[in-house]
Every structure is written in structure tokens, then in C-alpha cells.
Amino acid sequence: MKSLRMTFLLLSLSLTSLTSHADSDILKTRWADVKVDTVATGLNHPWGLAFLDDGQMLVSERAGNLRLIAADGTVGEPIGGLPEIKVRGQGGLFDIVLSPNFSQDKLVYFAYAEPESTGSDITSTAVARARLENNKLHDVTVIFSQQPKVMGGRHYGGRLAFSADGEFLFIGLGDHGHRQDDVQSLANHTGKLVRIHPDGTVPKSNPFVNQAGALPEIWSYGHRNIQGMAIQPETGQLWAVEHGPQGGDEVNIPQAGLNYGWPIITHGEQYGGGEVGIGFKKDGMEQPIWHWTPSIAVSGAAFYQGNQFVQWQGNLLATGLRGQQLARLEVNGSHIIHQETLNLKRRIREVKVAPDGSVYLLTDEPKGAILRLSAVK
Amino acid sequence: MKSLRMTFLLLSLSLTSLTSHADSDILKTRWADVKVDTVATGLNHPWGLAFLDDGQMLVSERAGNLRLIAADGTVGEPIGGLPEIKVRGQGGLFDIVLSPNFSQDKLVYFAYAEPESTGSDITSTAVARARLENNKLHDVTVIFSQQPKVMGGRHYGGRLAFSADGEFLFIGLGDHGHRQDDVQSLANHTGKLVRIHPDGTVPKSNPFVNQAGALPEIWSYGHRNIQGMAIQPETGQLWAVEHGPQGGDEVNIPQAGLNYGWPIITHGEQYGGGEVGIGFKKDGMEQPIWHWTPSIAVSGAAFYQGNQFVQWQGNLLATGLRGQQLARLEVNGSHIIHQETLNLKRRIREVKVAPDGSVYLLTDEPKGAILRLSAVK
């Protein structure tokens, strides 16, 4: 009898274990078995995510809403008080980041497709700042507006990142899809990486502040469509990922005043075939430190730090839309020395590392999800 | 009737076309459709290949023979006059390179497993120089012999490369498999990259010539098993590839006197699982500029230059045994910024770029082949 009871006990433990994993998939990876859990669902093309100190998440939906999500995944009502957002094509509400001093000032910063006037299809990417209180935005102030506004709904960029010291806000922009010819000119914000102070003023140390005819907000240029940005913890350097044309998705470490080559050089090619520009390389234009060819349609980027995946310390994580993946890139200083691909079989828009070291992903779907990656213990 | 004759004519052309490609496979790659032709067959684990000016190839077989292969693939009789070679395990005849002045001096250099005495299983990697005339080696001189010789038949290294100016000969060595503990010591040649003059004398500029207790031939150390080497054309720098343990196959640009970390640090792991050494990184030890994890069992390496694959200029080509591939690595200065894998479905030992810009591969098989990659026009 004693032996029989032991058997039942073991069986029961085994079933408990199975049940608790019922909603999880396991990815076998180099350094860890990764459990993939669904935290929340029903989000309309979620685009950006910020962790609050209290365990809540602030999530933007491209469809134009901002929502608080509880730690247990409960999706809050839309936050009120957003400005008019043009939701069309790739346009809508983009990234959301917290003020470095959020616990005191309650300020949030978000990027979005801003129409020229009410209802207009002439748009560009703007960044606004607002105070978040009682599920509503207060004192909404537009601190940056990409010049010029143009027809068309593609290649908005829209990613935001604060510098490590909180003094600067980087804004990743795009070429609008059909305005490639503007990208090499410093007289506009098309295809630029912009750096401003959090109040919208222009830093005196920006590279083109004293150059006649150049817009002073520009940090670097020659970008096609910056989709992900992250600060490398050990260096404080900004890293940015951008879409190439059917190949040539890039990782760059954008330096002040430098030219990243679009549309003159690229490792991609024209849709339908044929070379873009003059080829791969040109003096005075920077090479990416890594590229994906064919494209994965690279989207978000984050550096891993945390206790959940101890062997991923300092790795760059980058997500792919068409590539349906999380790319884990091992980094040595400013070089990528190895790639591992985690195949998630869903379009992934963004990646963030949670305070507990787990990794959160947003799926790019009309009923999109928040996924959580954790280590199988 | 006229119509019927046209049909026959077209059919006949179509068959001709098929016939001429009957022995070719086509690999679809990013920048070119690559035709794979078999140039020669029946070679016993071919290991090294050198192109002669007259269109012939000099090929070493690990089984202990050196042969001239005609441009049409006709395999010559074994070249006479080789020293005793220990063919056992991974041991045998390794790389073969021509003197930079071969057209005048007819000198060849080859690496091989050298027994301590006739028939002995105690071996190490030696390099000999000889004059090639009338399908026979003359004046065979051993110019380097790895110290110490040990039991065991693994991790010989055995790759050779002349510096761009022809002043120096680099010799890539291994750790014998079971002599990892010797690799961090400078008192032996185990797990070292060695640099000598072509006459076997030690260059005065070698990093350890004035260090008591260090062997003066050492260029760099901390290597596990160097299997491929090539000089980067635009910089004259030596690049080397080496096997890691179940992961952590490396690309390095070995610098004078530096420590490449084996067996203290690696991106691989113990066979059967578990970490090797202390992990990935350590002050005073160099990181690879690229690693394959899991391993491809990297073997040969060459830089592409030529007119056959114009968009591969400057790329590093590296072959895989277990990985059964040619890896095409795009290079920017000293960084690898992209990888494309050409899946060849055979163990590949070595890669060389022919004078006409086509790419030659050796398959690691008892009846091994020389394959030729050319662009489909």
C-alpha cells in the first residue's frame, strides 16, 4: 500500500507540472531553455512598452491608444488626453518612454504620426511630452515635429531613447518611403537621427548647430527607417537598428555628425531586384557594424542585463517582423561576434528587458500580445 | 513539316544545355547563382591545395601523398621523396604552399605529422621545405618541428601561410587534444601560432625572442587547433580560424605576443555539456572577432578576390567539416558584419581562390573531390 501511494503522489506532481506549463512554449537555445508565456492579448499592433516601478506596464498601440497593463496582464482602458494621431499605413502611435525622473515628475514621452491639420494625410513624426495621472495625459506639449510633413504613410521611424544621463532624448526617424532624395540633405529631418533635450530645446553640443542651412536637431543622417534603439550599458553608447530595402537591415552605433549612407550605399537591393545607389561602400559614409541580408525587417532592440539569462549579459537583442524572431547578438565592445536566432513564429515589434531579468516582446498583430521569456529552472 | 523540324531543333538544344550541366549543381546565393562542378575525384582526404602558374594544382592528401592535378582534373602519380609521415587519427600530411618565388626556386613547404623515430606513435607537427622537380621532392629539409612530441593523434593544426612580403612563414598548431595544460605556457609549441623565416631561422622581431624560458618561434598563443589561415589582401594581416570545443569555433586576427585564451576562455562548452574554463572573457585574453556556436568544425579560410564573384570582394570564405558548408563572411576592416552560408552537403576541408576568380574546395572524404564554384553567367 505504501508503494502505491508513492506512485499516486509522483503522478500528481507530474500533472501539476504539466498544467502550470499549459500556456507556455519552450524554446531550446544555446544557453537556456526559454519559456514563452503570453502575458496579455488583444492589443491593436502594440508598438512600445515601458515598465513602471509598481509592476505595471505602459503600452502604446499603433492604432492610437496608450494603455496601462497590470502585472497580471489585465489590459486597462485607453489613457485619455492624447493629441490627434494619424492612423494610416504604417502611421499611428509609436514608441513610449518614461522620464528618467518618472517616479517624481510622472512625465512620459511618445512619438506619433502628426497630421499637418485636423484629418490631413500630410504627416510626419512628432514627439510629445505629457504628465500621466489618473489614466489621463495632462499638459501635452509637442517637443519635436519632423520637418517637412509630407503625403504618404510609410517609414516614420518613431523610436525613442534617453541617453544614460537623462540629458538627451534621441528620436529615430525615417525617409517616408518616397523621399529618399531628402535623406542626404541636412536641411530637413527626413531619414535623420535627432537629439534634443527633454524639454525640446537643442543641445549646444549637437554637431550641426553652427552649420548654416542645417537643422540643429540632427545627430546623424543617411538613415532609411530607424526602428529600434537602445543604450549599451557598459559604454553609454546609443545603438540603432534600421530597415534596409529587401536586405541590408542594419545595426549602427550612430556618432555625431556622421553619414550612414542611405540611399547612396546599402547592403540591400531594390524591390524586384537590382542594386540601390552605387553599392556597398563609399568614403565618408559609415558601414553598419552588422547587417541582416536578406532582411528580417528588424524592429526593436534592447541590451540584456539581468539575472534570468546570466549568459546573455551585454548581448544585443533585436526583433524581426517578417523574420518572426528574436536575434541574440553577442557583443564585444562595438563589434558583433556571434548571432543566435530564436524563432518565435510571430511578427515581433519590440523587446524590453523587465526589472526581474525576463524579456518582454510585443507581437505586431491586430490582436497583438505581450510575450514573456523566462528561463526554465 | 517546317514546324515539326523547329520542334526537334529546340528539343535538341534543350538537351545539350542539360548535358553540359549534368555534373553541376546550382546554389542560389545572395549575389550570384553558383555552379558547383567536380574537377577531380578519388583523393584520400585532400587537405591542402596550391595553384601553379601553368594551370596545374598541387594537392596534399592526409593519407600521406602529394600529387599534381592537371587543370582538366587528371590526378597525377604520388610525388616521390616525402619524409616519413605518421598517418593515424587526424595525423598525416597537412597543408602545402608554394614559395613566393616558386617560378624560380621551385620550392614547396608542407606540414605533416612527424614521428619521433621510425614508426613511433609519438608525434608532432613539422614543416619541411623541398624543391619540386620531375614529380619528386629534392633536398627535403625540416625547417620546424613542434616541441614537445607527444602520444596521441589529434589537434595537429597544420595550416601554413606566407606573409604578404614573403619574409615570414606562419604555422598554425594545435593542443594535441589532451595537452590543454601546456597551451598557456610559452615553454612549448602546443597550441601556438608560430612565425619563422622560410629558411627556418627565427625572426628577430618575434615577440618572445628576448624572453627567458619562452620559445622564440611563438607569434601568439592560447590557440586550440588552428585549421585555416589567410592574409587579408587590403591590410596584409594574417587571419586564422580554429576549432572550439562543441561551439566557439573562432576567427582571430592574431597579433604578436597576444593570448587567445584557450583553455581558460572559450565560447564553446565541454563535450557532454558544461562550461570549459572560467567562461567567455578575461582581462589579458583576446576575444575572437567572430565565433560559430554551435561549431561548424571550421577548417580552411581564404579571402575572395577576383572577377568571378564581383560582389564577394574582400569577403572571408571559411569552410566547415561537420557544418558541410562554405561560410561567406562580409568584412569591414577587422570586423565581420554579415554571414551567408552556402550549404554544400559534404564535409569541406579547404578553400582556395583560383587565378581566374573561381573558388576551389576540397572535400574531406576517403575518396575526396576537388570542387569548383563559378558564377552562372
Side-chain angles (χ1 to χ4, degrees):
Chain A
M1 275 301 287
K2 192 174 177 185
S3 156
L4 191 63
R5 281 182 59 195
M6 282 296 286
T7 305
F8 273 98
L9 188 63
L10 286 169
L11 187 66
S12 147
L13 281 171
S14 169
L15 284 170
T16 303
S17 170
L18 268 178
T19 306
S20 74
H21 282 218
D23 294 329
S24 306
D25 288 322
I26 306 291
L27 288 174
K28 298 274 181 191
T29 76
R30 172 67 179 166
W31 291 115
D33 289 347
V34 177
K35 191 155 68 81
V36 184
D37 289 303
T38 301
V39 173
T41 55
L43 297 163
N44 197 339
H45 290 285
W47 216 98
L49 181 156
F51 291 101
L52 276 60
D53 283 346
D54 61 6
Q56 291 187 98
M57 292 164 274
L58 189 56
V59 172
S60 57
E61 296 172 290
R62 197 182 68 205
N65 283 318
L66 197 58
R67 297 175 193 268
L68 284 165
I69 317 279
D72 70 359
T74 305
V75 176
E77 290 300 308
I79 289 171
L82 271 77
E84 183 184 346
I85 295 172
K86 188 70 189 184
V87 179
R88 178 168 170 270
Q90 297 171 358
L93 179 58
F94 306 127
D95 207 7
I96 173 82
V97 296
L98 304 184
S99 161
N101 199 26
F102 179 79
S103 60
Q104 275 79 54
D105 62 25
K106 303 296 173 195
L107 293 176
V108 299
Y109 296 76
F110 54 94
Y112 62 101
E114 180 190 52
E116 186 177 48
S117 55
T118 302
S120 174
D121 284 341
I122 297 173
T123 62
S124 72
T125 301
V127 177
R129 181 178 73 173
R131 205 174 69 257
L132 174 61
E133 276 177 351
N134 302 320
N135 215 49
K136 190 170 185 312
L137 298 182
H138 303 264
D139 305 329
V140 175
T141 310
V142 176
I143 59 170
F144 173 78
S145 188
Q146 183 187 24
Q147 298 304 325
K149 290 190 167 0
V150 301
M151 279 295 293
R154 297 194 303 135
H155 299 194
Y156 284 94
R159 196 60 73 186
L160 303 174
F162 272 101
S163 63
D165 59 10
E167 291 291 311
F168 306 104
L169 179 65
F170 289 100
I171 305 169
L173 298 168
D175 70 357
H176 301 295
H178 63 300
R179 294 294 286 252
Q180 300 180 5
D181 292 348
D182 293 351
V183 173
Q184 289 289 318
S185 160
L186 296 172
N188 60 64
H189 294 127
T190 307
K192 306 300 189 297
L193 175 63
V194 152
R195 188 179 80 150
I196 58 175
H197 286 305
D199 64 359
T201 58
V202 173
K204 291 188 176 61
S205 56
N206 267 11
F208 299 113
V209 286
N210 295 318
Q211 184 168 322
L215 295 184
E217 298 89 357
I218 297 171
W219 176 256
S220 61
Y221 64 111
H223 300 287
R224 186 169 177 274
N225 193 18
I226 295 173
Q227 291 284 290
M229 296 199 300
I231 302 291
Q232 186 178 30
E234 58 190 34
T235 63
Q237 292 261 27
L238 178 79
W239 290 43
V241 298
E242 67 179 70
H243 277 193
Q246 245 193 341
D249 285 7
E250 297 183 353
V251 180
N252 291 301
I253 309 178
Q255 305 293 307
L258 296 189
N259 180 353
Y260 289 82
W262 180 253
I264 309 297
I265 57 170
T266 173
H267 291 261
E269 62 179 31
Q270 294 284 13
Y271 290 92
E275 279 190 51
V276 179
I278 61 162
F280 298 154
K281 288 194 179 190
K282 190 174 192 303
D283 285 347
M285 297 184 183
E286 305 306 309
Q287 284 292 301
I289 67 156
W290 177 256
H291 68 98
W292 290 271
T293 304
S295 293
I296 64 170
V298 65
S299 39
F303 282 94
Y304 188 79
Q305 281 194 308
N307 299 322
Q308 192 82 212
F309 301 105
V310 291
Q311 282 166 304
W312 294 7
Q313 299 303 330
N315 289 185
L316 178 67
L317 306 178
T319 58
L321 295 167
R322 197 182 63 178
Q324 304 199 334
Q325 69 188 245
L326 179 68
R328 182 179 70 81
L329 301 161
E330 294 178 18
V331 170
N332 184 29
S334 59
H335 314 157
I336 286 166
I337 63 172
H338 180 64
Q339 178 182 234
E340 182 182 45
T341 301
L342 280 65
N343 181 7
L344 288 152
K345 300 178 184 167
R346 296 171 81 167
R347 292 169 60 87
I348 309 296
R349 167 63 69 184
E350 172 64 324
V351 52
K352 289 281 186 186
V353 180
D356 72 352
S358 60
V359 173
Y360 280 63
L361 305 176
L362 301 177
T363 70
D364 178 52
E365 296 157 341
K367 294 187 175 178
I370 303 176
L371 307 178
R372 178 176 185 266
L373 310 188
S374 59
V376 176
K377 301 297 179 188
Chain B
M1 274 304 283
K2 192 175 178 185
S3 157
L4 191 62
R5 282 180 60 192
M6 283 296 287
T7 305
F8 272 99
L9 187 63
L10 286 170
L11 188 64
S12 148
L13 281 171
S14 169
L15 283 170
T16 304
S17 170
L18 267 177
T19 306
S20 74
H21 281 219
D23 294 329
S24 307
D25 288 322
I26 306 291
L27 288 174
K28 298 274 182 190
T29 76
R30 172 66 179 167
W31 292 116
D33 289 349
V34 176
K35 190 154 70 79
V36 184
D37 288 303
T38 301
V39 172
T41 56
L43 298 164
N44 197 339
H45 291 284
W47 216 99
L49 182 156
F51 291 101
L52 276 61
D53 282 347
D54 61 6
Q56 291 188 98
M57 292 164 273
L58 189 57
V59 172
S60 57
E61 297 173 289
R62 198 182 69 206
N65 283 317
L66 197 58
R67 297 177 192 268
L68 283 165
I69 316 278
D72 71 359
T74 305
V75 176
E77 290 301 306
I79 290 171
L82 270 75
E84 184 186 346
I85 296 171
K86 188 70 189 183
V87 178
R88 179 168 170 268
Q90 298 171 359
L93 179 57
F94 306 127
D95 207 7
I96 172 81
V97 296
L98 304 185
S99 160
N101 199 26
F102 179 79
S103 59
Q104 275 78 55
D105 63 24
K106 303 295 174 196
L107 293 177
V108 300
Y109 296 77
F110 55 95
Y112 61 103
E114 181 190 50
E116 186 177 49
S117 54
T118 302
S120 173
D121 285 340
I122 298 174
T123 63
S124 71
T125 300
V127 177
R129 182 179 71 172
R131 205 175 68 258
L132 174 62
E133 276 176 349
N134 301 321
N135 216 49
K136 189 169 185 315
L137 298 182
H138 303 264
D139 303 330
V140 175
T141 310
V142 176
I143 59 169
F144 173 78
S145 188
Q146 183 186 26
Q147 298 304 325
K149 290 191 166 359
V150 300
M151 280 294 294
R154 297 195 302 133
H155 298 193
Y156 285 94
R159 196 60 73 187
L160 303 175
F162 273 100
S163 63
D165 59 10
E167 291 292 312
F168 306 104
L169 179 64
F170 289 100
I171 306 168
L173 298 169
D175 70 357
H176 301 294
H178 63 300
R179 294 292 287 248
Q180 299 180 6
D181 292 349
D182 293 350
V183 174
Q184 289 290 316
S185 161
L186 296 173
N188 60 64
H189 294 128
T190 307
K192 306 300 188 295
L193 176 63
V194 152
R195 188 179 80 151
I196 58 176
H197 286 305
D199 64 359
T201 58
V202 173
K204 290 188 177 62
S205 56
N206 267 11
F208 300 113
V209 285
N210 295 318
Q211 184 168 318
L215 295 184
E217 298 88 357
I218 297 172
W219 175 257
S220 61
Y221 64 112
H223 300 287
R224 187 170 176 274
N225 193 16
I226 295 173
Q227 291 284 291
M229 296 200 299
I231 302 290
Q232 186 178 30
E234 58 190 36
T235 63
Q237 293 260 26
L238 179 79
W239 291 43
V241 299
E242 68 179 67
H243 277 193
Q246 245 194 341
D249 284 6
E250 296 183 352
V251 180
N252 291 302
I253 308 177
Q255 305 293 307
L258 296 189
N259 181 352
Y260 290 82
W262 180 253
I264 310 298
I265 57 169
T266 173
H267 291 263
E269 62 179 31
Q270 295 283 13
Y271 290 92
E275 278 189 50
V276 179
I278 62 163
F280 298 154
K281 288 194 180 190
K282 191 174 191 305
D283 285 346
M285 297 184 182
E286 306 306 308
Q287 284 292 301
I289 67 155
W290 177 256
H291 67 97
W292 289 272
T293 305
S295 292
I296 64 170
V298 66
S299 39
F303 282 95
Y304 187 80
Q305 282 194 308
N307 298 322
Q308 191 82 211
F309 301 105
V310 291
Q311 282 166 306
W312 294 6
Q313 300 301 330
N315 289 185
L316 178 68
L317 306 177
T319 58
L321 296 168
R322 197 181 65 176
Q324 304 200 332
Q325 68 188 247
L326 179 68
R328 182 179 69 82
L329 300 161
E330 294 178 17
V331 170
N332 184 29
S334 59
H335 314 156
I336 286 167
I337 62 172
H338 180 63
Q339 177 182 232
E340 181 182 44
T341 302
L342 280 63
N343 181 7
L344 288 152
K345 300 177 184 167
R346 298 170 82 166
R347 292 170 60 86
I348 309 296
R349 167 63 69 184
E350 172 64 324
V351 52
K352 289 281 187 187
V353 180
D356 72 352
S358 59
V359 173
Y360 280 63
L361 304 176
L362 301 177
T363 71
D364 179 51
E365 297 157 341
K367 295 189 175 176
I370 302 176
L371 306 179
R372 177 176 184 265
L373 311 188
S374 59
V376 177
K377 302 296 180 188

